[in-house]
């Protein structure tokens, strides 16, 4: 049977068919749907871990315990998990162990566009790269075979256009893979210097064996066509190249680390001109050049952003798209915005009003950096808001600390904010940390986390108590405030930044998109009462707009959250009739 | 057959993803090779979103290059205008007349372009404007704007109505099926 599947769903299907029994991940675009899809298979234990390091460690433990295991993450998540990654390369596996990493060229939903292929080389781990959903499934199954055959973890590298594109996948049954026997083997699994030195030798031998395997495995294949042009490529870039260049010759690499040598040199020697088509860094190109091959890569094609059929056609064939229809004026951009009813809007309205420096973090609330709220000063990585605030305070002194807060989401706080808060208390900082507790992991599309009280399968579980946790760390000033109670929120922020000790403000209000969140229905503006003062527009609500001087609420967008009612001094905002009659 | 390339453009939250999945399921049932590219994550939050659907004998890239979309299904006027360079010279632009101000317009930094439909027509583009919101309300739910538009799109493909209906049944959750079928019929009947 064939099904249309996202690349991410196909990875999940591959894990299912390969007999995987343990999966642990932390959500992150564009990787999230892998683990969400896995959670639907009752045969597989799956979980959201607090962060990628924990997730990868759970998968390593499961593998040592004899199960086929997986952890999936976005590119920056692999940075968090890099510590266990490098050392599990030494221990090798018992049950097959696969890590899936989804890169985000073009940064559709990320803070950088790092190329995860460097990790394969640095950690000496086999890496595969599929170019559509069928390959995503097939390569996943293959990855488990290779993992067990070569006693190595395997990384599968995806990119946004593989993860989030749907294509047809042939479905098969699940293999019955019995749990492998667990045998204590401290020479293999206890990485102390004496054992590590021996394991490193084994890793280098494994790399040589994998190198030989790369030379004639089915994952790397040549498609001969016109030999005037030869293309070496992998992943989504292969699809762009096929569409742009048609019937030329291709060396398509499904295994991107380690790379073959003989296969590449022979291919290059049999074509007139060889091009390397790869997104982001010149990883394939540098390998080919090291082999002495005369290839053209980043001299021609961009190192930043995504590739496309158009870029390849233009750069390699010199063909530009002709007669493209064009708007006759500049079109306003449409950046993403906080949704109508978003609890974060109240927080930023107050922080902007108080002119506070905001050490920011990763999530929907990063959108508070954009106009009109424009009240986030920094955003580096998961958790950096809390520790970064302490750094600013230590650099600029106590008085600066009184104009400074850190904002961090509930899930991000669990991920890596807790350790920053411990640092603040332990090292006698005074920072104020606002935990934006919207009862869910928002930006990635509503995943449960340790603060929500539910598991990935929707089962009730223990809930981390943010108040008690903060108190246990040593924060004495902890309080919960509703960010839509603007007056109280403002008062609390003013008090806490003044306090010469650490504070935690838990800004508690659920994400407006959660199913159980119900508002009263759309509002409208009574034009007779409206003075056009535009106070409501400072909220940056996408439902409120200025139509030639007349302030209006779009009833199809407004959900009636009522925040604008609170800032209108003229009581001009009222409940509208029901849109659906 | 040559590949058919359809782009669905709109504002995050308007239901463009469901619309593209209906087209994808239709093409799969008809035995075509299909690829579609979606948007998840940050860009979904009220930003400009685009989904590509391509079907035919063999599809490589899931992305549609500039000047190669046979049809653009636009859920909003400004987005229709923004993505116009992707339309083929003799392509069709099906366009919901709804307007949603982007943030730079809301905060007064930029203006929402005037008379977009006229301007696009003046470029000799085959534009089919429709007040899909009106028909969605008529069908019984403001959330069926996407399926009204699919109904109108269906008219301009050589796929029969029954096959489209089947794709809707495959894609839409059963409790919303009736209202969506009504919405499709309204779009198809225009």
């Amino acid at each position: 049977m064939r099904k249309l599947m996202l690349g991410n769903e196909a990875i999940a299907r591959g894990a299912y068919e390969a007999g995987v029994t343990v999966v642990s991940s932390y959500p992150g675009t564009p990787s999230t749907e892998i683990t969400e899809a896995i959670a639907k298979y009752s045969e597989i234990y799956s979980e959201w871990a607090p962060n990628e390091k924990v997730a990868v460690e759970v998968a390593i433990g499961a593998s040592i315990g004899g199960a086929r295991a997986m952890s999936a993450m976005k590119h920056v998540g692999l940075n968090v998990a890099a510590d266990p990654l490098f050392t599990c390369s030494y221990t090798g596996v018992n049950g097959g162990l696969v890590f899936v990493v989804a890169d985000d060229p073009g940064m559709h939903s990320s803070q950088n566009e790092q190329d995860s292929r460097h990790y394969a080389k640095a950690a000496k781990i086999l890496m595969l790269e599929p170019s559509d959903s069928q390959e995503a499934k097939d390569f996943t199954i293959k990855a488990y075979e290779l993992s067990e055959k070569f006693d190595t973890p395997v990384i599968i590298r995806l990119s946004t256009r593989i993860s989030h594109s749907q294509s047809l996948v042939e479905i098969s049954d699940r293999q019955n893979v019995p749990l492998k026997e667990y045998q204590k083997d401290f020479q293999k699994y206890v990485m102390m210097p004496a054992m590590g030195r021996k394991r490193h030798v084994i890793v280098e031998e494994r790399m040589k064996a994998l190198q030989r395997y790369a030379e004639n495995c089915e994952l790397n294949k040549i498609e001969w066509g016109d030999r005037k042009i030869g293309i070496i490529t992998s992943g989504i870039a292969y699809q762009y190249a096929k569409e742009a260049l048609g019937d030329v010759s291709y060396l398509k690499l499904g295994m991107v680390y380690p790379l073959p040598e003989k296969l590449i040199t022979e291919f290059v020697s049999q074509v007139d001109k060889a091009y390397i088509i790869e997104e982001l860094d010149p990883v394939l190109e540098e390998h080919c050049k090291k082999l002495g091959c005369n290839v053209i890569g980043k001299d021609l094609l961009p190192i930043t952003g995504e590739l496309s059929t158009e870029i390849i056609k233009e750069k390699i064939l010199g063909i530009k798209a002709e007669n493209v229809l064009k708007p006759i004026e500049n079109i306003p951009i449409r950046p993403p915005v906080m949704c109508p009813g978003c609890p974060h809007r109240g927080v930023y309205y107050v922080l902007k009003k108080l002119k506070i420096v905001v050490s920011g973090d990763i999530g929907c609330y990063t959108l508070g950096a954009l106009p009109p709220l424009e009240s986030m000063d920094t955003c580096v990585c998961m958790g950096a808001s809390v520790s970064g605030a302490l750094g600013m305070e230590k650099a600029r002194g106590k008085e600066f600390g009184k104009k400074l807060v850190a904002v961090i989401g509930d899930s991000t706080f669990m991920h890596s904010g807790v350790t920053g808060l411990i640092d603040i208390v332990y090292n006698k900082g005074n920072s104020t940390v606002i935990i934006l507790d919207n009862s869910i992991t928002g930006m990635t599309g509503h995943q449960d986390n340790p603060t929500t009280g539910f598991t990935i399968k929707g089962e009730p579980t223990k809930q981390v108590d943010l108040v008690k946790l903060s108190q246990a760390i040593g924060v004495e000033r902890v309080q919960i405030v509703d960010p839509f109670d603007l007056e109280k929120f403002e008062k609390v922020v003013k008090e806490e930044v003044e306090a010469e000790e650490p504070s935690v403000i838990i800004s508690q209000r659920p994400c407006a998109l959660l199913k159980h969140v119900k508002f009263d229905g759309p509002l409208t503006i009574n034009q007779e009462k409206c003075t056009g003062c535009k106070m409501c527009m400072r909220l940056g609500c996408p439902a409120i707009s200025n139509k030639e001087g007349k302030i209006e609420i779009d009833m199809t967008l407004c959900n009636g959250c009522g925040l604008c009612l609170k800032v209108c001094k003229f009581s001009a905002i009222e409940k509208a009739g029901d849109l659906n009659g | 057959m040559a590949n058919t390339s359809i782009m669905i453009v709109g504002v995050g939250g308007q239901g463009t993803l469901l619309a593209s999945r209906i087209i994808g399921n239709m093409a799969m049932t008809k035995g075509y090779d299909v690829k579609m590219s979606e948007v998840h994550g940050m860009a979904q939050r009220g930003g400009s979103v685009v989904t590509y659907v391509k079907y035919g004998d063999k599809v490589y890239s899931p992305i549609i290059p500039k000047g190669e979309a046979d049809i653009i299904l636009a859920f909003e006027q400004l987005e229709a205008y923004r993505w116009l360079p992707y339309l083929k010279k003799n392509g069709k632009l099906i366009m919901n007349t709804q307007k949603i101000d982007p943030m730079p317009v809301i905060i007064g930094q930029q203006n929402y372009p005037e008379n977009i439909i006229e301007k696009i027509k003046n470029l000799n583009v085959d534009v089919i404007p429709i007040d899909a919101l009106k028909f969605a309300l008529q069908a019984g739910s403001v959330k069926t704007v996407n399926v009204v538009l699919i109904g109108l799109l269906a008219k301009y493909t050589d796929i029969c109505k029954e096959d489209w209906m089947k794709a809707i049944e495959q894609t839409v959750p059963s409790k919303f099926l009736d209202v969506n079928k009504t919405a499709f019929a309204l779009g198809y009947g225009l």
Side-chain angles (χ1 to χ4, degrees):
Chain A
M1 193 183 72
R2 289 206 306 173
K3 270 184 88 173
L4 255 181
M5 284 184 155
L6 285 172
N8 282 349
E9 291 169 332
I11 295 278
R13 183 72 202 182
Y16 171 79
E17 291 180 13
V20 168
T21 56
V22 177
V23 176
S24 180
S25 305
Y26 183 82
T29 315
S31 72
T32 313
E33 299 80 9
I34 298 169
T35 310
E36 283 186 318
I38 281 172
K40 291 185 183 138
Y41 296 113
S42 59
E43 296 90 337
I44 305 177
Y45 167 80
S46 57
E47 62 167 41
W48 290 129
N51 66 35
E52 294 85 354
K53 178 176 183 286
V54 173
V56 161
E57 290 157 351
V58 169
I60 291 170
S63 161
I64 293 173
R68 285 192 164 184
M70 175 180 274
S71 180
M73 67 214 79
K74 69 183 294 173
H75 57 324
V76 286
L78 191 54
N79 302 340
V80 177
D83 193 1
L85 180 83
F86 277 69
T87 303
C88 79
S89 172
Y90 278 33
T91 64
V93 307
N94 185 18
L97 177 59
V98 174
F99 304 127
V100 186
V101 58
D103 286 2
D104 190 16
M107 290 177 277
H108 297 270
S109 204
S110 302
Q111 66 271 42
N112 74 27
E113 54 181 351
Q114 71 189 42
D115 188 328
S116 293
R117 290 178 299 173
H118 297 296
Y119 271 111
K121 191 176 179 189
K124 300 174 192 281
I125 291 177
L126 168 59
M127 180 179 261
L128 307 182
E129 184 173 25
S131 67
D132 61 19
S133 298
Q134 181 69 54
E135 283 189 354
K137 195 200 88 166
D138 295 345
F139 284 17
T140 302
I141 297 168
K142 189 77 192 167
Y144 283 97
E145 279 171 35
L146 295 173
S147 172
E148 290 171 2
K149 184 177 168 194
F150 290 95
D151 190 11
T152 177
V154 176
I155 304 174
I156 297 176
R157 184 215 187 197
L158 308 173
S159 61
T160 302
R161 300 299 187 179
I162 298 294
S163 286
H164 289 163
S165 289
Q166 299 213 29
S167 59
L168 296 167
V169 179
E170 192 69 48
I171 303 296
S172 304
D173 294 332
R174 179 170 164 92
Q175 300 169 29
N176 181 23
V177 181
L179 196 64
K180 291 204 168 170
E181 202 182 323
Y182 172 71
Q183 274 181 328
K184 183 173 167 127
D185 184 354
F186 76 95
Q187 290 291 348
K188 182 164 165 25
Y189 296 122
V190 180
M191 283 305 97
M192 293 164 72
M195 296 77 136
R197 283 181 206 118
K198 287 181 202 147
R199 292 300 306 179
H200 189 182
V201 176
I202 293 170
V203 168
E204 296 305 329
E205 283 165 9
R206 182 180 77 205
M207 290 317 300
K208 282 182 197 150
L210 284 170
Q211 179 91 49
R212 286 192 294 274
Y213 174 78
E215 295 293 351
N216 42 38
C217 69
E218 72 220 28
L219 294 158
N220 298 332
K221 55 184 182 198
I222 293 177
E223 296 169 18
W224 288 117
D226 187 338
R227 299 197 185 199
K228 282 197 188 88
I229 292 179
I231 303 295
I232 303 176
T233 184
S234 70
I236 191 66
Y238 164 78
Q239 306 291 359
Y240 299 149
K242 281 292 266 193
E243 186 165 295
L245 307 171
D247 185 33
V248 300
S249 295
Y250 298 86
L251 169 54
K252 178 184 176 300
L253 299 166
M255 181 169 160
V256 291
Y257 191 78
L259 289 162
E261 295 182 354
K262 225 174 112 203
L263 186 67
I264 289 174
T265 42
E266 281 183 10
F267 177 78
V268 173
S269 72
Q270 291 180 59
V271 295
D272 294 349
K273 223 172 182 183
Y275 296 91
I276 311 292
I277 302 185
E278 60 188 324
E279 279 183 327
L280 302 179
D281 294 344
V283 174
L284 303 179
E285 183 181 346
E286 281 170 4
H287 175 77
C288 294
K289 286 187 169 161
K290 195 187 78 190
L291 297 172
C293 294
N294 187 14
V295 294
I296 305 162
K298 295 295 166 189
D299 286 344
L300 196 64
L301 295 161
I303 196 165
T304 58
E306 295 185 282
L307 287 178
S308 68
T309 305
E310 291 138 293
I311 293 173
I312 296 168
K313 260 192 189 165
E314 189 187 326
K315 299 289 180 184
I316 294 183
L317 302 178
I319 300 172
K320 267 195 169 181
E322 284 171 31
N323 298 324
V324 169
L325 295 159
K326 278 198 191 100
I328 54 165
E329 62 207 291
N330 276 335
I331 305 249
I333 56 161
R334 189 186 298 274
V337 289
M338 284 182 233
C339 307
C342 178
H344 305 323
R345 183 168 285 111
V347 176
Y348 288 117
Y349 178 78
V350 169
L351 295 178
K352 181 169 189 179
K353 191 174 165 196
L354 298 177
K355 298 194 175 74
I356 285 195
V357 174
V358 177
S359 178
D361 224 299
I362 309 260
C364 285
Y365 49 94
T366 317
L367 294 169
L370 305 177
L373 293 162
E374 288 177 299
S375 43
M376 183 178 284
D377 293 61
T378 64
C379 168
V380 178
C381 68
M382 297 282 283
S385 59
V386 182
S387 24
L390 179 66
M392 276 184 139
E393 183 194 319
K394 294 290 181 189
R396 304 195 67 84
K398 222 192 271 178
E399 284 310 305
F400 186 80
K402 290 181 179 175
K403 287 190 171 63
L404 170 71
V405 298
V407 295
I408 183 164
D410 49 343
S411 186
T412 312
F413 183 69
M414 284 293 104
H415 180 281
S416 45
V418 181
T419 41
L421 186 61
I422 292 171
D423 195 20
I424 290 173
V425 176
Y426 173 53
N427 289 307
K428 302 176 183 179
N430 298 328
S431 314
T432 299
V433 175
I434 303 179
I435 302 175
L436 305 169
D437 179 9
N438 63 349
S439 315
I440 204 74
T441 313
M443 180 61 91
T444 44
H446 286 182
Q447 290 74 36
D448 280 293
N449 68 54
T451 69
T452 66
F454 293 93
T455 69
I456 192 171
K457 305 240 184 194
E459 295 155 354
T461 184
K462 293 258 188 193
Q463 192 173 6
V464 170
D465 184 326
L466 290 170
V467 174
K468 283 189 188 157
L469 174 64
S470 305
Q471 286 167 342
I473 287 170
V475 182
E476 286 174 20
R477 302 179 69 100
V478 186
Q479 50 186 318
I480 299 174
V481 193
D482 177 358
F484 274 21
D485 186 343
L486 296 173
E487 273 176 40
K488 182 162 179 208
F489 201 86
E490 185 177 331
K491 183 172 156 276
V492 168
V493 172
K494 275 183 182 161
E495 282 168 10
E496 297 310 316
V497 292
E498 278 298 323
E500 295 194 354
E501 61 179 296
S503 317
V504 169
I505 302 169
I506 298 164
S507 166
Q508 206 166 58
R509 179 171 267 266
C511 170
L513 300 182
L514 282 169
K515 281 205 177 87
H516 65 81
V517 175
K518 299 263 183 261
F519 296 111
D520 285 347
L523 300 171
T524 189
I525 292 181
N526 182 334
Q527 297 297 342
E528 285 173 16
K529 289 189 186 170
C530 179
T531 63
C533 74
K534 303 200 184 83
M535 271 304 284
C536 56
M537 300 202 67
R538 292 194 196 173
L539 292 170
C541 175
I544 309 176
S545 60
N546 180 352
K547 302 278 184 202
E548 284 139 27
K550 205 169 121 188
I551 312 301
E552 287 182 359
I553 294 179
D554 185 331
M555 283 171 64
T556 64
L557 297 175
C558 176
N559 53 19
C561 78
L563 190 63
C564 54
L565 282 173
K566 294 179 183 162
V567 298
C568 179
K569 296 196 173 93
F570 305 96
S571 308
I573 302 174
E574 303 170 346
K575 188 165 168 22
D578 186 2
L579 188 61
N580 284 331
Chain B
M1 75 172 237
N3 289 344
T4 302
S5 297
I6 302 174
M7 269 171 78
I8 300 162
V9 303
V11 178
Q14 278 193 303
T16 52
L17 217 54
L18 182 87
S20 66
R21 287 178 174 181
I22 293 171
I23 304 172
N25 277 330
M26 178 283 294
M28 182 180 67
T29 324
K30 297 298 284 179
Y32 294 122
D33 189 21
V34 191
K35 279 192 182 162
M36 28 202 259
S37 187
E38 306 182 345
V39 177
H40 299 249
M42 182 179 258
Q44 256 185 318
R45 300 273 174 263
S48 167
V49 291
V50 55
T51 312
Y52 308 89
V53 188
K54 289 164 91 171
Y55 59 91
D57 292 338
K58 175 75 192 162
V59 181
Y60 290 107
S61 165
I63 312 295
I64 300 169
K66 275 191 186 135
E68 293 191 20
D70 297 290
I71 301 177
I72 293 181
L73 190 62
F75 282 45
E76 199 270 348
Q77 287 202 28
L78 183 63
E79 295 311 311
Y81 202 22
R82 183 191 316 282
W83 293 97
L84 191 62
Y86 285 78
L87 193 64
K88 231 181 215 166
K89 241 187 146 185
N90 302 310
K92 252 184 203 15
L93 174 61
I94 298 172
M95 174 178 171
N96 184 10
T97 53
Q98 196 176 345
K99 289 185 189 178
I100 300 174
D101 285 352
M103 203 45 72
V105 171
I106 291 180
I107 61 175
Q109 279 179 350
Q110 274 179 291
N111 293 319
Y112 195 103
E114 288 174 358
N115 308 320
I116 290 177
I117 301 173
E118 289 305 307
K119 285 173 186 163
I120 297 177
K121 276 186 183 161
N122 289 342
L123 295 165
N124 287 322
V125 175
D126 185 4
V127 192
I128 303 150
I130 166 186
D131 183 356
L133 186 60
K134 188 177 88 186
F135 293 104
L137 291 172
Q138 202 179 319
S141 167
V142 54
K143 290 192 170 156
T144 59
V145 163
N146 50 5
V147 179
V148 171
L149 289 164
I150 287 286
L152 186 57
L153 167 86
K155 268 178 51 170
Y156 299 101
T157 60
D158 38 21
I159 312 291
C160 69
K161 192 178 168 184
E162 288 64 38
D163 286 334
W164 280 105
M165 279 294 188
K166 253 186 257 164
I168 290 173
E169 282 165 22
Q170 277 173 22
T171 321
V172 174
S174 53
K175 62 175 171 177
F176 302 118
L177 195 55
D178 285 342
V179 62
N180 278 292
K181 278 182 161 175
T182 312
F184 179 87
L186 285 169
Y188 197 84
L190 290 169

